[in-house]
Structures are given as structure tokens and as C-alpha cells.
Amino acid sequence: MQQGIQIIPLIAVVLLVVVTIGLGFWVQKSVKSAADMYVASRSVSVPMNSAAISGEYLSAASFMGVAGMIMKTGYDNIWYPVGYATGYLFLLLFIAGPLRRFGAYTIPDFAHGRYDSPTFRKIAVIFVLCIGFFYTMPQMKGAGTALVNILNTPYWVGIVVVGSVIIFNVALGGMKGITFVQAVQYWIKMVAISLPMFIMFMFLGGYGTNMSKFHNDAEKGGTLPKFRTDYTAIYKPAAPLNDIVFGTVIRGTFEQDTQVIITPSKKLPEGADQISAQQLMTSSLPAETREVTLPTGKKVTAYIFKKGTEFATGQPIVATQGGQPILVTDPVSGKEKPLKVSAKFTVTPAGSEEVTRITYKAGQPVPNAPNDKTWIEPYGLLSSKYGHPVLYTYSLILAIVCGTAGLPHILVRFYTNPDGKTAKRTTFWVMILLGCFYVFPPMFGALGRAWVPELYAVAGGARSTDSVVLILPRLLNQYVPYLGDILSAITSMGAFAGFMTTFSGLLVSLTGALAHDVYGNMINPKATPTQKMRAFRISAILAGSTAIVLGMFVENFDINMMVGWAFAIGAASYFPMLIVSAWWRRCTAIGAGAGMLVGGGAALAAIVSTMLADKKVIPSLGPWFADHPVVRTLFEQPAIWAVPFSLLLIYVVSLATQSHVPKNSRWKMLVLHAPEELNLKNRNYIEDDAVPAH
Amino acid sequence: MSISQREVLGKIGKAVEMEKKLDLHSEEYLHKLMTSQFALSFKLFLVFIIILLGLPVMNYIAPEMMNARIFGFTVTWFFLAVLIYPITWLISWAYVKSSIALEEKAATWTDPEEH
């Protein structure tokens, strides 16, 4: 157990913060104009810009979250990094070139310019701010919890540190300053994920060697990972962190008096024969019991295990109905098989302790871990949770791919390219940089399963699969003193760079929306360059402080859930609007606006409804979803219907409002698609004032 | 490209320019430009979408083949976690190359004297 301040990671993080501030000062000297601040004077070279875009895009979720998810439930989660990387291909094929050529600075600029509609600009601004703030919250939470892990500081310290450093950098150097910082941080992250992995390969065996330890044949496919040393797991008394699913016979010892609710690991169908707690156990149950009322109002019996009691769960048993085995259809193979359940504990300290501690001996199977076959093969725990794995997989792919193409902080970077051609070349290099990075998180997932399986024992928090990237390298301390600590410090630095760059990118796009769209276009259209620069700095401080405050409130939110919201809204709003606007001349502002608002709104409403059901805000919703697994799947991953729905809406509404097609739409399409050689120029939305002509 | 050039054509849809560059501003030119670019994008989009969306189908209909072991991995793991990235690089390289070539060609479709 790691307690207290860890000196080596602390040094790494301090170093990173100091370097980031130093770079900010250094670049600041060359920031002379509003065009520098807003779009880095549109003169960022291809290598610099592709590293900056990649640096900005690789958030902490990519750095830590993806590896953790892959370790936790296996194959299905590889779709996340693949979707994150290939979303760029869609951007490249349909959006990057035209968008840059149009010359607009922000998406609201594009919405306004493409349709000559100031109202559309206002709607688009609201969306930029919404998606942007949604996406800053998980970054803030990540920063807060990472510092808790490394330094044991209070949650708010991490948020304030990351927040202020980035606000400082953005306010000082604007887009130009942040471009350089992000490019440097891409390389920090790339080194931070690859170097420790290569060194671990030398000690722990290669990628393929470790993968070959997991079996998917009929005989050994059911193997569960086993504790490599004695391990004491800490369970916080909050659902679902205090749920423990035991797949087979597992022995453990309670370190305090503990109240345990024992239920079957899967929900039994209506009318099934009751399964008693004793049937799920090998050891005998304690005599002392207590009646507990669940949040749903149901009363259940909890067993009080005394301190030091050893327990042993049982083999999976077949659920029955009227004495006959209950058969379920496997959603992938289509074969019928008996429904098997094992023990699930819900643990709470019976005394005054704050957490439940359970010690497992070396060699015991790890609870909460999927077996080898489920983990390594497609259609595992993630996609099969509602019984429609193929549908779930497709919707997940679509959400990530279209969501990437609809993130405002990524799109805004395309305007820093000198022209449409370099925008295309930049995207190509971004794909290479991202691809090289995303090969690594699955390696952490695989080596994590093989070498630190104890992380499965608790479903979330500091010592769970979520932190595999930080914890796995420490294993090397056994081979070379301090090597593990140094490598872990390097990965901590990478994770921290993840929060900083993504937050800085979001802050630039939020600031751009406030300073350029709200101030520069709505409040004071005649602003002088000096006023514009000041507006940018004030907006950066305003937006950044708001993000810090929002970050304080989300300590108990799930990071992946918040990221999912941002992606789903992006996928169903911006993506359809942009692609149709770039390629369909007869599209109208009303059509595009309606598709964006209603499509994005519907996707958001669907996701929020699943959250309300899960958090039991609307108690009747949960059981209803349980009875309608298809609806549940479609609501949790709405992209598969929300994106086509939004596109259809744009099409139908545009056809109905053909009299509103912009009069010069042919010119606009020409500007979007004609090669630069023809010198067609739309107006530049950020004037190149104060920059000497070159 | 100088700054002044960028600003010259600022005012959208000037009648004078429309007449002067009739060729460039003709319906035919725009149509040819957009369809050729879109055809290229769509072709490569199809290639990729078949690979991307075909993999879950293969996983579903041929699980034995996809879950066979290769270098310690399963076929499908090796494909999705490693091989897919070079494939996207190839597609985007092909796109950038042909798309820029297409742009250069498109510039010659109009009379260069006129602009």
C-alpha cells in the first residue's frame, strides 16, 4: 500500500508544471497581435501543428482511462482508441480541407458565414460552450484525483494547479503560445507511454508473450487471474465500489466486523426458484444477521462477519425454475445454455470503520475479474451487458468516430494551418502520431492483467484498473531498485500532461467563442486589435475560472460518463451540421440548425435518462429499462440512431425551407472546395492586423 | 500569398467578378469540382468503412477464425489493436496524395488568364 507523499512522481509533476510555465513565458515574447493570439497567425508548420493537434487530443482519458478499461473488460474496449484515431480519417476525408478554406475562425463563424445567419452563430456559440464545458469537467476531475493519488492532497488542489497554470499560459500566449506547449507535450506523452513499456518488456516479457498467457480454448478459457502476493483490498461503502462479484471458490478474511449482503451475481428472471445465501457459499454463514432496507425499499438480510473470519464463496450454480434449469440464449453463438450464478457481496463496515478491508492470500482467484475467454474475445462484458452485443458495438464505434469529428476544440486548430492543402497534410500526420500512441494502451491492459491482477479486486478508485498505467511500472522495483518508481513517475507525468493539454485546447476554443463570437461579433464588432487581445485574455480568465469551479462539483461523477456525453452531443450535432454544410448546397440555416439542436438534444436526453435510471433519480425508469434491453442499449449509446436522425432532419427541414437557401450559395461552395491556386478568398474572420506583410 | 490578395475578394459574390470569371463561377465548374472531390473521398470512405464495420461482422459469423491464436494474440486482437493503424495511414496517404493532385488539376480546368 502506498501512503504519504511519493517523492519521485512529485518531482516529475513539478518539473512538468515548471517547464510548461517556462515555455509560456518563452513563447510570449513573440506574441504580437490578435491574429497570433487567436489563430497563431495561420502560419503553424505541418510538423508542429500535427504534434500540437495530437497533443491536445490525447487527454488523460486516452492516457490512463483506455488502458484501464481494456484491462477491466478486455477486447471490446479496443474500439475506443481505434475510434479516437480513425475519427480523424472522417475529418480528413470530408471536413478538414473545406473548413480551413472557408477561412472562418470558429465553428460559429462558419455557421454564420455559410448561411449569412447571425442567429445561427448564437446557437452554435451555445453548443461550443456546452460541449466545451462538458468536456472540461472530466479533465478537471482527472487532474484532481491524479494529484490525490500522487501527493495525497485534497481533491481541489489538482484542479486549481492545472487550472491556473493553463489559464496563465492561454492568457499570456493565446493560440500561438499554446500550440508550442501542446506540441512539446505530445512528445512528452509519447515518451511517457512508450519508454516504460519497452523497459517492462525487457523484464516482464513481450506483448505477444504476455497475451499468450490468456487462454480462450474450451478447457482453460475459464481461467481467472490469481493474486500474486497476499493482498488487502479496500472497499469504500458506496455503490458500486462495495460490490464484489466472486466468479468461483475464493477465500478471503475480513479485517473488521463487516455487514455483508449476499446475492446471486446475475439478476434472476421472474418466477425463478429462490437461491439462498448459503447455496452460494462453501463456508458456513455467521449466525448474527441484521435486516437492511435497500434504496429501492426492499428489505434484505445482511450477515455480520466478525473480524478475522475467513470466508469461502462457492462454485457457480445453475439457476432453476420449478426444479428445471433456466436456459438462456448466448447472444453471440445463439446456443442455449443453463444460467449460472455465483456469489455477489455488498460489503459495509459493521462498526465505526470508514472502509471495509478484506485480505486475500496469494494464489486465490481475483474477484470482479472476467475470465480469460470473456476478456480476450469480442462481445465480452462491455458490449454484452444488455444482451445485444453487436448493436452495442456498432453504436459505440459510430459515437466515437462521429464524436471525434465534432469536437470543437479539435476543429478550431485546423484554422491555424496556412491553407487547405496543409490542413490535409497535417491531418495525415496526426493520424500517424495518434496511431503510434494508441498501440500502447492495450499493452498496458494486457500486461496489467498478467502482472497486477489485484487491481480487479476493487471496482473503482485509486487502486483499481483505472490506475494500471501508474501502478504497473512500480513492479520493476523488484528487479532494479527505484527503476519502478522512476518509470511510474514518467507515466504520472504523461497523465498530467494529458490533463493540461486537453484543458488548454478546450480553454482556447471556449475563449475563442467568448472573445471572438460573443465580444467581437455581438458586443463590440468594431473592437481595435488591442481591445481584441485584451478581450481574449479576460475571456481566458473567465472561462478558465468557470471550468475550475465546475470541476469542484464533479468529484463524484464518472469520468467516462462525462466524456460520453460530450462525444454524443458532438456526434449528433456538430458532425451532421458540418458535413452537410460542406457538401450540400441546398441546405438552409433552419435545416442545419434544427438538425443540430434536435439531434444533439435527443442524444443528450437519451444519455441523461440512463443516468437518471442508474442513479435512481427516477426509480421506475431502472426496472423499465431492465425489461427493454434494446431501448436501454440504444439510449446508452445513442449515436447509431441520433446521427442518422439528425442528418435526416437537416435534409427534410432544408427541403421544406428552400426559399431560405443563401442567395450566393454557389459562391460559398466554390470557396469551400476550390483549390488555393485560384485565389478565391472568403473574408478572413480574424484580420491579420499588426502583422507586417510577408 | 500576400495579405492584400486575401482581402481583395472579400465582398461576397461581386457582380463584376461573376462576369469576369464566368468560367470559374459556372455551374459546371462547381459541379465537376465537387463531384470529383466527393467521389475520391467517398471511395476511400467506403474502403475504410468496410474494414471498420466488417470486423464486428467477422467476429460474429466466424468467431473460430477470428479467435485463433497468432504470435500469442488472437487474430482479431492483433488486427484491431495493432494492424488497423497502418491501414488508416495507407488510406489517408492515398487520399492526401490524390486529393492534392486533383486540386492542382482542378485549377487548370478554368482559364488561368482570368485570375
Side-chain angles (χ1 to χ4, degrees):
Chain A
M1 218 59 2
Q2 302 272 350
Q3 287 298 331
I5 292 181
Q6 296 161 39
I7 294 297
I8 299 176
L10 173 66
I11 295 171
V13 170
V14 169
L15 194 73
L16 183 72
V17 169
V18 170
V19 166
T20 308
I21 297 176
L23 285 179
F25 269 118
W26 187 64
V27 176
Q28 196 263 338
K29 283 185 212 147
S30 65
V31 176
K32 292 186 183 68
S33 67
D36 274 347
M37 289 209 84
Y38 285 73
V39 287
S41 303
R42 292 193 190 82
S43 55
V44 183
S45 67
V46 172
M48 174 81 92
N49 213 6
S50 45
I53 293 178
S54 312
E56 171 176 287
Y57 189 56
L58 296 174
S59 64
S62 298
F63 198 89
M64 291 172 66
V66 169
M69 287 191 293
I70 292 173
M71 175 173 170
K72 192 171 188 177
T73 50
Y75 179 91
D76 289 336
N77 294 288
I78 309 175
W79 286 109
Y80 280 98
V82 169
Y84 291 149
T86 54
Y88 272 91
L89 192 61
F90 291 75
L91 261 180
L92 173 64
L93 292 178
F94 295 108
I95 298 176
L99 205 62
R100 168 62 195 97
R101 227 167 252 142
F102 199 72
Y105 165 53
T106 60
I107 308 293
D109 263 348
F110 177 75
H112 183 174
R114 169 70 178 78
Y115 298 105
D116 295 326
S117 160
T119 321
F120 201 9
R121 177 193 292 275
K122 287 176 190 144
I123 297 174
V125 167
I126 294 170
F127 265 78
V128 169
L129 296 177
C130 268
I131 305 180
F133 279 119
F134 260 131
Y135 206 44
T136 56
M137 289 191 277
Q139 305 304 324
M140 284 301 183
K141 181 185 163 173
T145 46
L147 267 201
V148 173
N149 277 349
I150 301 169
L151 307 181
N152 285 324
T153 51
Y155 170 72
W156 59 269
V157 174
I159 295 180
V160 172
V161 169
V162 170
S164 355
V165 170
I166 297 306
I167 293 172
F168 174 79
N169 266 9
V170 170
L172 207 61
M175 182 67 111
K176 190 164 181 180
I178 223 68
T179 299
F180 189 64
V181 174
Q182 284 173 334
V184 171
Q185 294 201 346
Y186 167 79
W187 290 104
I188 292 180
K189 279 182 269 193
M190 190 65 220
V191 171
I193 203 157
S194 58
L195 180 74
M197 185 45 77
F198 288 131
I199 295 176
M200 283 190 281
F201 282 162
M202 295 195 305
F203 291 95
L204 308 177
Y207 191 10
T209 316
N210 278 289
M211 286 297 291
S212 65
K213 292 176 186 166
F214 313 127
H215 307 280
N216 62 338
D217 49 302
E219 192 190 334
K220 288 183 179 165
T223 312
L224 289 169
K226 295 191 174 56
F227 286 104
R228 299 180 61 252
T229 52
D230 291 359
Y231 184 75
T232 303
I234 300 172
Y235 299 94
K236 287 188 186 167
L241 297 184
N242 60 344
D243 283 346
I244 319 168
V245 176
F246 298 91
T248 181
V249 181
I250 298 177
R251 290 168 195 284
T253 310
F254 290 103
E255 300 290 343
Q256 66 287 300
D257 294 354
T258 312
Q259 168 192 315
V260 184
I261 300 168
I262 304 172
T263 46
S265 57
K266 288 178 197 145
K267 194 174 170 270
L268 297 177
E270 203 104 336
D273 300 334
Q274 277 291 323
I275 294 177
S276 74
Q278 187 61 69
Q279 279 174 281
L280 298 165
M281 302 293 291
T282 310
S283 63
S284 55
L285 292 168
E288 191 185 345
T289 61
R290 195 182 281 179
E291 191 163 82
V292 180
T293 313
L294 297 178
T296 52
K298 209 174 138 196
K299 286 189 166 58
V300 292
T301 308
Y303 296 89
I304 309 296
F305 286 81
K306 288 289 172 206
K307 181 177 176 182
T309 317
E310 201 196 42
F311 68 88
T313 55
Q315 292 281 1
I317 56 168
V318 175
T320 56
Q321 184 162 13
Q324 293 298 311
I326 298 173
L327 295 177
V328 285
T329 314
D330 183 291
V332 183
S333 66
K335 287 183 194 129
E336 287 209 321
K337 57 177 191 187
L339 176 66
K340 283 187 171 179
V341 293
S342 53
K344 181 176 123 184
F345 283 10
T346 305
V347 294
T348 328
S352 58
E353 293 86 357
E354 281 181 5
V355 293
T356 312
R357 289 169 202 270
I358 301 178
T359 302
Y360 304 96
K361 287 252 171 350
Q364 288 295 313
V366 185
N368 286 337
N371 68 32
D372 279 1
K373 189 176 162 73
T374 322
W375 184 83
I376 204 170
E377 292 193 353
Y379 306 122
L381 290 185
L382 176 72
S383 62
S384 295
K385 59 184 167 182
Y386 306 118
H388 296 275
V390 181
L391 182 68
Y392 194 98
T393 304
Y394 277 119
S395 204
L396 179 73
I397 298 171
L398 215 64
I400 304 170
V401 166
C402 300
T404 297
L407 287 178
H409 70 293
I410 299 300
L411 293 166
V412 101
R413 282 225 66 99
F414 281 99
Y415 298 117
T416 60
N417 287 298
D419 54 43
K421 275 193 193 103
T422 41
K424 287 177 185 172
R425 285 202 193 98
T426 301
T427 320
F428 168 66
W429 282 103
V430 168
M431 303 223 32
I432 296 206
L433 296 181
L434 289 182
C436 289
F437 181 89
Y438 279 128
V439 174
F440 288 93
M443 297 181 190
F444 275 91
L447 266 71
R449 182 176 171 87
W451 294 91
V452 284
E454 66 270 17
L455 296 182
Y456 284 111
V458 186
R463 296 284 297 186
S464 71
T465 49
D466 286 346
S467 46
V468 59
V469 173
L470 306 181
I471 289 174
L472 177 66
R474 288 198 197 134
L475 209 64
L476 296 194
N477 279 342
Q478 296 168 9
Y479 301 89
V480 180
Y482 298 111
L483 178 63
D485 286 331
I486 292 168
L487 294 184
S488 174
I490 293 176
T491 55
S492 308
M493 194 154 100
F496 225 68
F499 307 123
M500 296 219 280
T501 44
T502 305
F503 180 57
S504 62
L506 286 162
L507 190 56
V508 167
S509 79
L510 289 169
T511 304
L514 284 177
H516 174 69
D517 293 309
V518 178
Y519 176 77
N521 278 285
M522 295 174 200
I523 299 174
N524 183 7
K526 293 197 184 85
T528 62
T530 327
Q531 280 178 319
K532 278 187 189 168
M533 282 175 80
R534 198 187 308 141
F536 193 94
R537 292 191 162 128
I538 293 171
S539 304
I541 295 167
L542 270 180
S545 320
T546 313
I548 291 180
V549 173
L550 284 175
M552 304 279 187
F553 285 111
V554 296
E555 186 175 2
N556 293 319
F557 279 49
D558 178 0
I559 290 192
N560 290 327
M561 187 179 78
M562 290 185 282
V563 172
W565 289 8
F567 268 77
I569 312 172
S573 59
Y574 270 146
F575 174 72
M577 188 278 273
L578 286 171
I579 202 159
V580 176
S581 301
W583 291 97
W584 191 41
R585 207 172 114 187
R586 293 164 66 204
C587 184
T588 65
I590 305 169
M596 194 168 107
L597 270 178
V598 181
L604 180 65
I607 291 194
V608 169
S609 76
T610 62
M611 188 206 76
L612 292 179
D614 288 347
K615 305 262 168 194
K616 307 202 166 61
V617 181
I618 306 174
S620 58
L621 207 54
W624 188 84
F625 272 134
D627 293 338
H628 300 83
V630 177
V631 180
R632 167 82 211 204
T633 310
L634 290 175
F635 272 44
E636 188 171 308
Q637 292 293 347
I640 202 164
W641 56 267
V643 175
F645 170 66
S646 178
L647 287 169
L648 186 74
L649 211 61
I650 295 178
Y651 181 70
V652 172
V653 176
S654 290
L655 282 188
T657 53
Q658 279 296 293
S659 57
H660 292 83
V661 174
K663 301 218 165 37
N664 49 7
S665 64
R666 184 197 299 157
W667 160 263
K668 294 194 164 158
M669 295 317 268
L670 203 56
V671 173
L672 281 166
H673 297 283
E676 266 84 9
E677 285 88 341
L678 299 175
N679 275 337
L680 289 172
K681 278 286 178 238
N682 206 355
R683 78 183 170 98
N684 266 328
Y685 284 76
I686 300 289
E687 299 304 329
D688 296 321
D689 47 42
V691 179
H694 50 272
Chain B
M1 188 173 303
S2 80
I3 305 306
S4 57
Q5 270 177 305
R6 287 190 188 173
E7 287 166 355
V8 169
L9 301 173
K11 293 285 170 249
I12 292 161
K14 271 187 197 163
V16 187
E17 283 176 18
M18 296 290 276
E19 271 174 24
K20 201 174 140 200
K21 296 176 180 174
L22 195 64
D23 231 4
L24 174 62
H25 292 255
S26 66
E27 199 67 41
E28 295 82 356
Y29 183 75
L30 180 63
H31 184 75
K32 195 173 172 188
L33 182 70
M34 280 182 67
T35 43
S36 56
Q37 283 284 7
F38 192 78
L40 172 69
S41 292
F42 196 71
K43 220 160 48 192
L44 289 165
F45 169 76
L46 272 188
V47 172
F48 186 66
I49 209 79
I50 288 170
I51 297 171
L52 189 74
L53 300 187
L55 189 62
V57 174
M58 291 303 288
N59 286 337
Y60 188 73
I61 59 172
E64 264 113 62
M65 184 182 92
M66 301 308 282
N67 291 318
R69 303 306 284 245
I70 166 176
F71 321 122
F73 304 88
T74 61
V75 172
T76 183
W77 184 294
F78 190 64
F79 188 84
L80 190 64
V82 181
L83 274 189
I84 199 152
Y85 300 109
I87 295 174
T88 62
W89 300 341
L90 273 181
I91 294 176
S92 56
W93 177 77
Y95 172 74
V96 171
K97 201 166 171 270
S98 348
S99 153
I100 290 176
L102 193 66
E103 281 183 19
E104 273 158 18
K105 209 164 81 188
T108 65
W109 289 343
T110 59
D111 189 351
E113 294 294 297
E114 288 182 30
H115 43 262

